Amino acid sequence: MVCSGLEVRLAECKKKEKSPRFLSGLKRREKRHSRSLSGSVPFDRNAELIETFRTQMQISETMDALTRRKLVRLASEKSFGQIDVPQITLGLLNGTTKTEFLNEKSYIQWKNRQANILEELLSSEQSVGVFLAKIRNFQEWDIKMSPSKCREVLYSIRNIASTLSSMPGNCGIQGETYYWSAGYPFNMRLYEKLLLGVFDILEDGKLIEEADEILKLIKSTWPLLGITQKLHDVLYGWVLFQQFVGTEEAMLLEYAVRKMRNIPSSEDVVQNEKEYLESLVCVNHCSGSEIRLNLVQSILWSIGLWCDNKLQDYHWHFFQKPSLFKGVLSMALAAGNQKFDVSGNMELTLNTSNEIIDSKVRMYVERSAEAACKRVTDAINAGSKVDKKHPLALLASELKSIAERQLTVYHPVLRHWCAEAGVVSASILHRFYGERLEPFLKNISCLSEDVKQVLAAAILLENYLIELHSSEQVKKGVHSPLMFDFEREIGEIARPIILDWVIAQHARILEWTGRAADLEDWEPLSHQQKQAASAVEVFRIIEETVDQFFELRLPVDITHLQALLSIIFHTLDAYLQKVVNQLVLIDINCKLLNGAVDKHNLYPPAPPLTRYKDTAFPSAKKKLVEYVVLDNAVNKKLDALTTSKLCVRMNTLQYMQKKISSLEDGIRESWSAVRVFKDQTCLDEDSHWTSNGILEMCSESVDELFVATFDCIRDSAADAIKRTCELVGARVVFWDMREPFIFNLYHGDVEGARLETILPQFDRVLNNVCALIDDTLRDIVVKSIFKASLEGYAWVLLDGGPSRAFSDFDVVMMEDDLNILKIEEYIELLAISVLDRRQQSIEKDLFVADGEGLPRSLVEEEARFAHQILSLFSLRAESVIQLLMTSSEHSSGLEAHKYGDRHLGDAHTLIRVLCHKKEREASKFLKQYYHLPPSSVYNGAAVEDSSMKSPLMADLIKRSASFRWSDKSSSSFRTLKKKIQDATSDFRQVGW
């Protein structure tokens, strides 16, 4: 630098270093920076850069001061022509003694280093060796020889060096000296050492801020060391690349790639420089043989060799740091295309064509895919033992990971240089796995656990391979036909065995469902979960089967879906049938002669027809005898089928409705994501292929399957809910409240057996229902109990038996009771306790409930029949008799409202009203025309209602609809009267 005209400031070291050299340099840099910030006069910029460079080169201040003094003295002599390295070395040795060093060891090392440099640069002259031996000999050089003798030795070496330096260069380049070629490779190693000074000594992966200025400073050494622009780019790129290899700093790799791209090709280099570069020969070793390359070729070959080694298995080398993949690939391509001719000479092509680049990248893809396949195969046996999976399933899983990483990480980079990189990688992986899968497929006979694992893993692998295969075409908007075939083969093999598997689940699920239903005790799971445990178990089994079906992850078709939905249908239908059949069994055992099977089977049969006896009835001394209508077995079943169990049944059916909807939604969603089996023979105009090869089945066909399955089950469950709800109402009124309500209400006389006497029992029963029933069912249960209560009340009025007779005064009290039944009592069903109601004096219609209950119109409509019956009791007996006699014309208009099998205008209803009217005219009419016995002649024995069974009574009722009783038809009336007398001749008294 001194000889290049740069000013070098001499500075004596005031104290010896006591800390490591690089820390001392760092401290000086920080001190210099702080002084600059404080506003002091800055150093000359060259001096600052030289000081920074000294710190980066880790040269001590003592050695720096020594070197500066020697160089300044050398520059002042001006006794030589062009400066060169041997002259600088001799100038440093001249007059240097061991006293100028910290210790003798440092001095000897320094002196030997200078001798080594001279030996390397002047090796062509044999006489130099004698002089250098003296310099290396400490005893002779530093003790025995006088300073003058030492100067003579150095002078002799200088003469030899001057003679050599005066010789012209070999290539005729401007500024070329003898030592450009003679000093190789020392000059290049020295220049590499200088270039390393731009890297921060405390952080190898970073460049210092003054890097660009330092590089300009170093450029002044080019004439001395024989560096050209091309050599600088190659050497600087080489230094950057080596630093990247050691630190894995991506920024350094990016800088190195830029430098390598700046290297001109051999065609762009002038002939003289080309000859010079060819003279810089390196010997490289590859596969046991020597390869002689020039310096540029050697560096590019070394870089290319390292990059090739990494890129030929990039799945392994860039697994942890995929961000480096693009930079290394760029460096490999920037290093050019290198190939050897038949003579062993390497041909380097920097500006390669697109075809060559494509071929090179394709080679990387092929080699890396093959290396990855081999690696996972070597590890697969040990992995399968640990994971307890079939080796082919593990292999497919590993290859899928490779394909996925290829698609997401490497392909976006590779496709810029090789558009078919995805196709190449996918084809290799497919071929590799297909060769190992083929023998396995030939031995499949059933859907074992190993088969499920392998086939599912193979299909999943192919999904990624297909996506990888068509990735570039899809990006360009071009559809790529499927190039894979083992998915179809898997589908053809799996299709029948999947169907067999689904069918095999049928018997298992039905068995578990039947067992769960048979063990059910119809108790709620908890206060929050009011459904039965068996329903939860049934849906658990179904959902488990559905999950297993879709977790197969195999190609399926609409036949498999149909089989799955068939299993679900039969399972839920079988469970519903078990729930319903337990109710039907009771109905069948309680059925009437007309074969009716409904809630009315719980109603007590109507007692025999009697007439009111004024002299005997008021005492009501007869003991109430319960009317026995069922045998002990049926009665036991009815006792077991409690209201609480019926409520749990309803909750269970409602739970099924909810779960059916969620089950259907889940299956639809899973089906939309499933991979459908591709069968070209089954394609029709309603089916088409998507871009990724998934067959979309006709949505209408699939929808029809879902409708046929789930809507049918919903309808069955809704019908079962309706029947159970009606049974709950009938059970509450005609069974739970049978004794207090049906048998005791108005027993003996109205005033002593009013409705208010049984309200506390009603409260308990209704509160129990409200606590048990699901909130979503409360309205329909309320309606059912309300209707059953009104039916029970009508039963008391019309079929209450001999113990009940009503006067006009009684009708007023009965109207009040009906309003209580309709309005006050059912407020409990709104979950308002009796205590709260009494404390707050609440009196409001439950079923209206300020808009929260049943509509008022519905409540009034349901109570209309009971009100109209009471209106008949409020009529005089003559009026009722006239209605009976004119019932064929239905002139009263009351027959418009039918209730069950009876209506207000029929003879049956009107005769029952007359039987219960506490009025002499009614009793007289019944005795005279029907010869009905008085209530007082019956004993307490329970007798079946012969009047209901007698065909003569049925004939009477039938004829009453077509006759008009008048004087002109007295003969007909007498005939009917005779039939009534015959029908009632065997009646016995009962205690009603």
Side-chain angles (χ1 to χ4, degrees):
M1 295 176 184
V2 171
C3 299
S4 299
L6 295 177
E7 179 184 355
V8 179
R9 171 174 293 188
L10 297 177
E12 296 292 338
C13 180
K14 297 182 179 179
K15 60 178 181 178
K16 303 297 182 180
E17 293 180 295
K18 296 183 180 180
S19 59
R21 289 177 294 170
F22 69 92
L23 290 181
S24 174
L26 181 63
K27 292 177 182 178
R28 290 178 60 85
R29 289 177 61 187
E30 292 176 349
K31 182 177 180 181
R32 191 167 60 248
H33 181 64
S34 63
R35 284 186 300 184
S36 176
L37 293 178
S38 64
S40 59
V41 178
F43 284 98
D44 177 79
R45 186 56 181 166
N46 286 335
E48 290 183 4
L49 292 176
I50 292 174
E51 179 65 14
T52 300
F53 192 61
R54 180 197 67 79
T55 305
Q56 287 293 107
M57 298 296 289
Q58 302 185 46
I59 299 173
S60 67
E61 293 181 350
T62 302
M63 182 55 63
D64 177 62
L66 173 64
T67 304
R68 287 172 184 251
R69 286 196 304 271
K70 297 294 182 180
L71 291 177
V72 169
R73 188 178 64 182
L74 178 63
S76 63
E77 292 179 357
K78 298 183 182 297
S79 60
F80 50 82
Q82 189 175 6
I83 192 69
D84 52 37
V85 174
Q87 294 177 21
I88 295 176
T89 304
L90 292 170
L92 294 175
L93 286 171
N94 187 21
T96 303
T97 63
K98 64 180 179 179
T99 58
E100 297 178 272
F101 290 83
L102 295 177
N103 52 63
E104 186 176 289
K105 182 179 180 180
S106 299
Y107 167 69
I108 294 175
Q109 290 177 344
W110 176 86
K111 186 181 62 171
N112 289 337
R113 184 181 303 118
Q114 311 310 314
N116 292 338
I117 294 173
L118 292 173
E119 183 179 23
E120 183 168 350
L121 297 179
L122 305 177
S123 59
S124 60
E125 298 294 329
Q126 297 181 354
S127 59
V128 174
V130 178
F131 299 131
L132 294 179
K134 293 181 179 181
I135 295 175
R136 288 192 177 98
N137 191 319
F138 178 77
Q139 290 292 330
E140 184 176 0
W141 183 262
D142 294 289
I143 297 176
K144 295 181 180 180
M145 292 180 65
S146 63
S148 60
K149 291 291 185 181
C150 291
R151 284 194 295 270
E152 289 179 4
V153 171
L154 294 177
Y155 184 77
S156 299
I157 298 175
R158 174 177 290 185
N159 289 334
I160 296 173
S162 298
T163 302
L164 294 176
S165 63
S166 62
M167 297 175 62
N170 296 328
C171 302
I173 301 175
Q174 184 179 2
E176 179 187 5
T177 65
Y178 167 82
Y179 291 108
W180 278 25
S181 298
Y184 174 79
F186 169 78
N187 294 346
M188 303 305 158
R189 293 202 304 270
L190 178 58
Y191 192 69
E192 284 185 43
K193 183 66 176 177
L194 296 176
L195 291 174
L196 288 174
V198 300
F199 298 103
D200 197 316
I201 58 175
L202 298 181
E203 195 171 356
D204 293 343
K206 303 294 182 182
L207 295 172
I208 62 174
E209 295 180 1
E210 304 89 345
D212 290 338
E213 294 179 281
I214 294 294
L215 289 175
K216 291 180 180 179
L217 197 63
I218 294 176
K219 190 174 182 179
S220 63
T221 66
W222 287 13
L224 183 68
L225 300 177
I227 304 298
T228 64
Q229 183 65 51
K230 182 171 184 176
L231 278 176
H232 167 77
D233 290 338
V234 171
L235 291 173
Y236 188 38
W238 172 240
V239 168
L240 288 168
F241 181 76
Q242 291 183 93
Q243 203 74 2
F244 156 74
V245 172
T247 62
E248 293 189 342
E249 177 59 49
M251 180 191 67
L252 299 180
L253 179 60
E254 182 180 349
Y255 292 161
V257 172
R258 292 178 186 175
K259 284 299 174 184
M260 290 302 171
R261 286 174 177 169
N262 290 336
I263 300 175
S265 63
S266 58
E267 293 79 7
D268 299 328
V269 180
V270 296
Q271 183 62 31
N272 292 346
E273 185 176 0
K274 184 177 180 180
E275 293 177 3
Y276 171 60
L277 296 177
E278 292 291 340
S279 67
L280 307 178
V281 178
C282 298
V283 178
N284 300 273
H285 298 273
C286 179
S287 302
S289 60
E290 290 187 354
I291 301 175
R292 299 179 65 84
L293 305 172
N294 65 50
L295 178 62
V296 176
Q297 290 176 331
S298 178
I299 290 176
L300 294 178
W301 181 77
S302 298
I303 292 176
L305 192 66
W306 186 92
C307 292
D308 285 348
N309 178 64
K310 301 298 180 182
L311 292 172
Q312 288 181 21
D313 193 1
Y314 56 77
H315 284 97
W316 172 259
H317 291 291
F318 298 98
F319 184 82
Q320 297 295 336
K321 290 188 176 183
S323 59
L324 299 178
F325 173 70
K326 182 177 181 180
V328 174
L329 180 58
S330 300
M331 175 59 79
L333 299 178
N337 187 48
Q338 305 155 13
K339 63 179 181 179
F340 295 90
D341 57 21
V342 292
S343 303
N345 300 319
M346 189 184 80
E347 296 179 2
L348 174 64
T349 306
L350 292 178
N351 298 327
T352 55
S353 63
N354 292 335
E355 290 77 10
I356 295 176
I357 292 176
D358 180 272
S359 176
K360 191 172 185 178
V361 174
R362 184 187 294 266
M363 180 268 295
Y364 291 147
V365 175
E366 292 174 352
R367 298 280 180 85
S368 185
E370 292 169 355
C373 291
K374 182 179 184 303
R375 185 166 48 254
V376 297
T377 303
D378 293 341
I380 206 66
N381 291 329
S384 63
K385 295 178 181 179
V386 174
D387 296 337
K388 297 181 179 180
K389 289 185 178 181
H390 194 279
L392 283 177
L394 280 175
L395 179 60
S397 178
E398 292 296 330
L399 294 179
K400 178 190 73 77
S401 299
I402 294 173
E404 185 177 11
R405 196 169 182 84
Q406 176 74 25
L407 177 64
T408 58
V409 177
Y410 304 119
H411 182 69
V413 176
L414 293 168
R415 67 186 183 89
H416 292 293
W417 290 283
C418 180
E420 295 185 351
V423 175
V424 173
S425 179
S427 300
I428 291 175
L429 296 176
H430 173 265
R431 183 178 63 254
F432 179 83
Y433 188 74
E435 291 173 354
R436 288 151 183 79
L437 179 66
E438 190 69 26
F440 180 84
L441 295 179
K442 293 180 179 179
N443 296 322
I444 292 178
S445 59
C446 64
L447 200 62
S448 64
E449 193 62 32
D450 284 346
V451 170
K452 288 191 288 186
Q453 287 182 5
V454 173
L455 295 187
I459 290 297
L460 195 58
L461 168 62
E462 185 134 357
N463 291 345
Y464 281 97
L465 293 181
I466 291 174
E467 187 176 359
L468 177 60
H469 179 273
S470 59
S471 56
E472 187 61 26
Q473 288 81 358
V474 171
K475 288 182 176 65
K476 295 180 179 179
V478 179
H479 173 68
S480 174
L482 294 177
M483 301 299 293
F484 303 91
D485 54 7
F486 68 72
E487 183 192 10
R488 176 177 296 280
E489 187 174 355
I490 290 174
E492 292 174 350
I493 294 174
R495 190 178 188 183
I497 64 175
I498 291 175
L499 189 59
D500 291 342
W501 178 85
V502 175
I503 294 173
Q505 306 307 306
H506 194 184
R508 180 184 68 86
I509 295 176
L510 286 179
E511 179 184 356
W512 276 96
T513 301
R515 185 181 306 172
D518 293 339
L519 295 176
E520 182 57 68
D521 57 2
W522 298 107
E523 293 295 333
L525 286 173
S526 65
H527 292 296
Q528 291 75 29
Q529 295 177 298
K530 298 180 180 181
Q531 68 273 10
S534 59
V536 177
E537 178 67 11
V538 167
F539 277 96
R540 185 194 67 79
I541 296 171
I542 292 175
E543 290 170 352
E544 181 181 276
T545 304
V546 171
D547 291 342
Q548 289 176 355
F549 175 79
F550 288 109
E551 285 174 0
L552 293 174
R553 300 191 298 276
L554 299 177
V556 294
D557 58 22
I558 197 169
T559 305
H560 298 126
L561 177 63
Q562 185 177 9
L564 178 66
L565 295 180
S566 177
I567 289 178
I568 295 173
F569 173 81
H570 286 99
T571 301
L572 296 177
D573 184 67
Y575 183 76
L576 281 172
Q577 290 300 321
K578 280 186 172 290
V579 174
V580 173
N581 285 343
Q582 293 174 357
L583 306 179
V584 174
L585 179 63
I586 295 173
D587 289 343
I588 292 175
N589 284 277
C590 303
K591 66 180 180 180
L592 302 177
L593 288 177
N594 60 7
V597 180
D598 56 26
K599 63 178 183 178
H600 295 95
N601 302 150
L602 284 172
Y603 297 1
L609 293 173
T610 63
R611 58 185 175 83
Y612 161 67
K613 177 78 173 168
D614 190 29
T615 58
F617 187 79
S619 61
K621 295 179 180 180
K622 296 284 189 278
K623 180 181 180 182
L624 177 64
V625 178
E626 182 175 335
Y627 204 89
V628 179
V629 295
L630 303 174
D631 59 34
N632 290 335
V634 176
N635 192 69
K636 184 177 180 181
K637 291 178 181 178
L638 280 173
D639 284 337
L641 194 65
T642 62
T643 300
S644 64
K645 293 185 183 299
L646 288 174
C647 289
V648 174
R649 276 181 167 84
M650 284 193 65
N651 294 339
T652 301
L653 294 170
Q654 182 68 12
Y655 168 79
M656 292 182 67
Q657 292 277 51
K658 297 177 182 177
K659 291 294 291 183
I660 287 171
S661 297
S662 62
L663 178 63
E664 180 182 5
D665 293 341
I667 295 177
R668 283 182 179 272
E669 182 178 354
S670 298
W671 177 255
S672 65
V674 79
R675 190 167 187 82
V676 180
F677 175 71
K678 306 184 294 294
D679 189 352
Q680 295 287 356
T681 62
C682 298
L683 291 179
D684 53 36
E685 60 183 6
D686 294 325
S687 306
H688 62 278
W689 294 97
T690 59
S691 59
N692 62 353
I694 297 179
L695 179 63
E696 295 181 351
M697 303 300 295
C698 176
S699 59
E700 293 182 1
S701 300
V702 174
D703 289 340
E704 288 175 2
L705 282 178
F706 281 100
V707 170
T709 301
F710 293 103
D711 284 7
C712 184
I713 294 296
R714 287 191 187 95
D715 293 342
S716 299
D719 181 67
I721 289 175
K722 179 181 177 182
R723 295 179 61 181
T724 307
C725 183
E726 292 177 349
L727 194 57
V728 168
R731 169 79 197 206
V732 168
V733 175
F734 290 94
W735 198 263
D736 297 341
M737 295 295 297
R738 176 177 51 185
E739 187 71 26
F741 185 46
I742 301 300
F743 292 163
N744 282 347
L745 183 63
Y746 305 151
H747 177 70
D749 66 274
V750 173
E751 188 174 6
R754 295 285 300 277
L755 183 64
E756 61 183 10
T757 61
I758 62 175
L759 287 182
Q761 298 178 64
F762 243 126
D763 284 338
R764 287 193 296 272
V765 173
L766 298 177
N767 281 334
N768 182 55
V769 172
C770 288
L772 289 170
I773 204 68
D774 187 86
D775 292 340
T776 57
L777 298 171
R778 179 164 297 186
D779 284 352
I780 63 173
V781 173
V782 166
K783 181 179 178 181
S784 175
I785 297 178
F786 178 58
K787 292 178 64 175
S789 300
L790 294 176
E791 291 177 11
Y793 190 74
W795 191 95
V796 170
L797 298 182
L798 297 178
D799 301 322
S803 64
R804 292 176 171 91
F806 312 120
S807 65
D808 294 341
F809 178 74
D810 293 334
V811 172
V812 177
M813 292 184 288
M814 292 159 65
E815 286 280 1
D816 292 338
D817 286 349
L818 179 57
N819 290 329
I820 292 174
L821 182 65
K822 184 177 66 175
I823 298 176
E824 185 172 342
E825 174 55 26
Y826 283 91
I827 202 166
E828 284 303 307
L829 289 179
L830 286 179
I832 301 177
S833 66
V834 179
L835 179 60
D836 291 338
R837 192 176 69 239
R838 290 175 180 172
Q839 289 176 348
Q840 300 174 20
S841 300
I842 297 176
E843 290 187 6
K844 65 178 180 178
D845 191 340
L846 162 76
F847 301 98
V848 178
D850 294 334
E852 296 179 1
L854 300 177
R856 185 180 296 275
S857 59
L858 177 61
V859 173
E860 295 299 335
E861 180 66 19
E862 295 294 340
R864 180 183 176 191
F865 184 71
H867 280 295
Q868 291 177 339
I869 293 175
L870 290 177
S871 69
L872 290 177
F873 279 108
S874 66
L875 297 175
R876 301 298 299 171
E878 292 83 353
S879 300
V880 179
I881 292 170
Q882 182 63 32
L883 289 173
L884 176 62
M885 298 179 66
T886 60
S887 60
S888 60
E889 298 179 0
H890 303 287
S891 59
S892 66
L894 298 175
E895 77 282 357
H897 184 103
K898 292 187 176 182
Y899 202 95
D901 294 332
R902 64 169 51 143
H903 58 87
L904 294 178
D906 65 12
H908 182 275
T909 300
L910 295 171
I911 290 175
R912 290 280 181 181
V913 170
L914 288 173
C915 289
H916 288 283
K917 276 189 71 68
K918 191 186 293 186
E919 191 172 338
R920 186 177 299 277
E921 289 299 325
S923 180
K924 180 179 178 181
F925 173 80
L926 295 174
K927 177 181 180 182
Q928 179 179 355
Y929 291 98
Y930 291 99
H931 288 253
L932 293 181
S935 57
S936 59
V937 302
Y938 287 84
N939 57 29
V943 182
E944 290 188 4
D945 186 3
S946 301
S947 65
M948 292 297 296
K949 297 181 180 181
S950 171
L952 298 177
M953 188 60 191
D955 183 59
L956 166 66
I957 296 173
K958 180 179 179 181
R959 289 174 178 271
S960 68
S962 59
F963 278 69
R964 180 181 180 89
W965 292 347
S966 63
D967 294 339
K968 295 180 181 180
S969 57
S970 58
S971 61
S972 298
F973 181 77
R974 283 193 297 273
T975 302
L976 289 175
K977 180 179 73 173
K978 179 65 169 60
K979 292 180 180 181
I980 290 293
Q981 291 172 348
D982 294 340
T984 59
S985 60
D986 57 347
F987 283 179
R988 294 293 184 269
Q989 182 181 3
V990 294
W992 291 84

